[in-house]
CSV table of all heavy atoms in Angstrom, one decimal:
chain,number,residue,atom,x,y,z
A,24,ALA,N,46.9,135.6,45.2
A,24,ALA,CA,46.8,136.9,45.9
A,24,ALA,C,46.5,136.7,47.4
A,24,ALA,O,47.1,137.5,48.2
A,24,ALA,CB,45.7,137.8,45.2
A,45,ARG,N,63.3,142.8,73.3
A,45,ARG,CA,64.5,143.5,73.6
A,45,ARG,C,64.2,144.7,74.5
A,45,ARG,O,65.2,145.4,74.9
A,45,ARG,CB,65.2,143.9,72.3
A,45,ARG,CG,65.6,142.7,71.4
A,45,ARG,CD,66.8,142.1,72.0
A,45,ARG,NE,67.5,141.1,71.1
A,45,ARG,CZ,68.7,140.6,71.3
A,45,ARG,NH1,69.3,140.8,72.4
A,45,ARG,NH2,69.2,139.7,70.4
A,71,ALA,N,52.8,156.7,63.7
A,71,ALA,CA,51.6,156.2,62.9
A,71,ALA,C,50.5,157.2,62.8
A,71,ALA,O,49.9,157.4,61.7
A,71,ALA,CB,51.1,154.9,63.6
A,126,ALA,N,52.1,152.3,59.7
A,126,ALA,CA,50.7,152.8,59.4
A,126,ALA,C,50.4,152.6,57.9
A,126,ALA,O,49.3,152.2,57.6
A,126,ALA,CB,50.6,154.3,59.8
A,129,ASP,N,49.9,148.9,57.3
A,129,ASP,CA,48.7,148.4,57.9
A,129,ASP,C,47.5,148.7,57.1
A,129,ASP,O,46.7,147.8,56.8
A,129,ASP,CB,48.6,149.0,59.3
A,129,ASP,CG,47.4,148.5,60.1
A,129,ASP,OD1,47.2,147.2,60.0
A,129,ASP,OD2,46.7,149.2,60.7
A,137,LEU,N,41.0,143.1,51.8
A,137,LEU,CA,39.6,143.2,51.6
A,137,LEU,C,39.2,143.1,50.1
A,137,LEU,O,38.1,142.7,49.8
A,137,LEU,CB,39.1,144.6,52.2
A,137,LEU,CG,39.1,144.6,53.7
A,137,LEU,CD1,38.9,146.0,54.2
A,137,LEU,CD2,38.1,143.7,54.3
A,142,ARG,N,36.5,139.2,46.3
A,142,ARG,CA,36.6,138.2,45.2
A,142,ARG,C,36.2,136.9,45.7
A,142,ARG,O,35.6,136.1,45.0
A,142,ARG,CB,38.0,138.2,44.6
A,142,ARG,CG,38.4,139.4,43.8
A,142,ARG,CD,39.8,139.2,43.3
A,142,ARG,NE,40.2,140.3,42.4
A,142,ARG,CZ,40.2,140.2,41.0
A,142,ARG,NH1,39.9,139.0,40.5
A,142,ARG,NH2,40.6,141.2,40.3
A,153,ALA,N,45.1,136.4,61.5
A,153,ALA,CA,45.7,135.2,62.2
A,153,ALA,C,47.1,135.0,61.7
A,153,ALA,O,48.0,134.7,62.5
A,153,ALA,CB,44.8,134.0,61.8
A,225,PRO,N,20.5,152.8,53.1
A,225,PRO,CA,21.2,154.1,53.1
A,225,PRO,C,21.2,154.7,54.5
A,225,PRO,O,20.3,154.6,55.3
A,225,PRO,CB,20.3,154.9,52.2
A,225,PRO,CG,19.6,153.9,51.3
A,225,PRO,CD,19.4,152.7,52.2
A,229,LEU,N,25.0,161.7,59.7
A,229,LEU,CA,25.2,161.8,61.2
A,229,LEU,C,25.3,160.4,61.7
A,229,LEU,O,26.2,160.1,62.6
A,229,LEU,CB,24.0,162.5,61.9
A,229,LEU,CG,24.2,162.7,63.4
A,229,LEU,CD1,25.4,163.4,63.8
A,229,LEU,CD2,22.9,163.4,63.9
A,242,ALA,N,38.0,149.2,67.7
A,242,ALA,CA,39.4,148.9,67.3
A,242,ALA,C,40.4,149.4,68.3
A,242,ALA,O,41.4,148.7,68.5
A,242,ALA,CB,39.6,149.6,65.9
A,252,GLY,N,50.3,143.8,75.9
A,252,GLY,CA,51.2,142.6,75.6
A,252,GLY,C,52.5,143.1,75.1
A,252,GLY,O,53.6,142.6,75.5
A,278,LEU,N,49.8,135.9,74.3
A,278,LEU,CA,48.8,136.8,73.9
A,278,LEU,C,48.6,136.7,72.4
A,278,LEU,O,47.5,136.5,71.9
A,278,LEU,CB,49.1,138.3,74.2
A,278,LEU,CG,48.0,139.3,73.9
A,278,LEU,CD1,48.0,140.4,75.0
A,278,LEU,CD2,48.3,140.0,72.5
A,294,ASP,N,30.9,134.2,60.2
A,294,ASP,CA,29.9,133.7,59.2
A,294,ASP,C,28.7,133.1,59.9
A,294,ASP,O,27.6,133.1,59.4
A,294,ASP,CB,30.5,132.8,58.2
A,294,ASP,CG,31.4,133.5,57.2
A,294,ASP,OD1,31.2,134.7,57.0
A,294,ASP,OD2,32.3,132.9,56.6
A,354,LYS,N,34.8,157.7,50.3
A,354,LYS,CA,35.7,157.3,49.2
A,354,LYS,C,36.3,156.0,49.5
A,354,LYS,O,36.4,155.6,50.7
A,354,LYS,CB,36.8,158.3,49.0
A,354,LYS,CG,36.3,159.7,48.5
A,354,LYS,CD,37.5,160.6,48.3
A,354,LYS,CE,37.0,162.0,47.7
A,354,LYS,NZ,38.1,162.9,47.5
A,371,LEU,N,49.1,155.2,71.3
A,371,LEU,CA,49.8,156.4,71.7
A,371,LEU,C,49.6,156.8,73.1
A,371,LEU,O,50.5,157.1,73.9
A,371,LEU,CB,49.3,157.6,70.8
A,371,LEU,CG,49.8,159.0,71.2
A,371,LEU,CD1,51.4,159.0,70.9
A,371,LEU,CD2,49.2,160.1,70.4
A,380,VAL,N,50.8,155.5,85.8
A,380,VAL,CA,50.0,154.8,86.8
A,380,VAL,C,51.0,153.8,87.5
A,380,VAL,O,50.9,153.6,88.8
A,380,VAL,CB,48.8,154.0,86.2
A,380,VAL,CG1,48.2,153.1,87.3
A,380,VAL,CG2,47.8,155.0,85.7
A,396,ALA,N,39.2,147.6,78.6
A,396,ALA,CA,38.9,147.6,77.2
A,396,ALA,C,37.8,146.6,76.8
A,396,ALA,O,37.0,146.8,75.9
A,396,ALA,CB,40.2,147.2,76.5
Side-chain angles (χ1 to χ4, degrees):
R45 296 287 193 171
D129 186 41
L137 289 169
R142 286 177 175 260
L229 182 60
L278 185 144
D294 285 338
K354 293 180 179 180
L371 176 64
V380 172

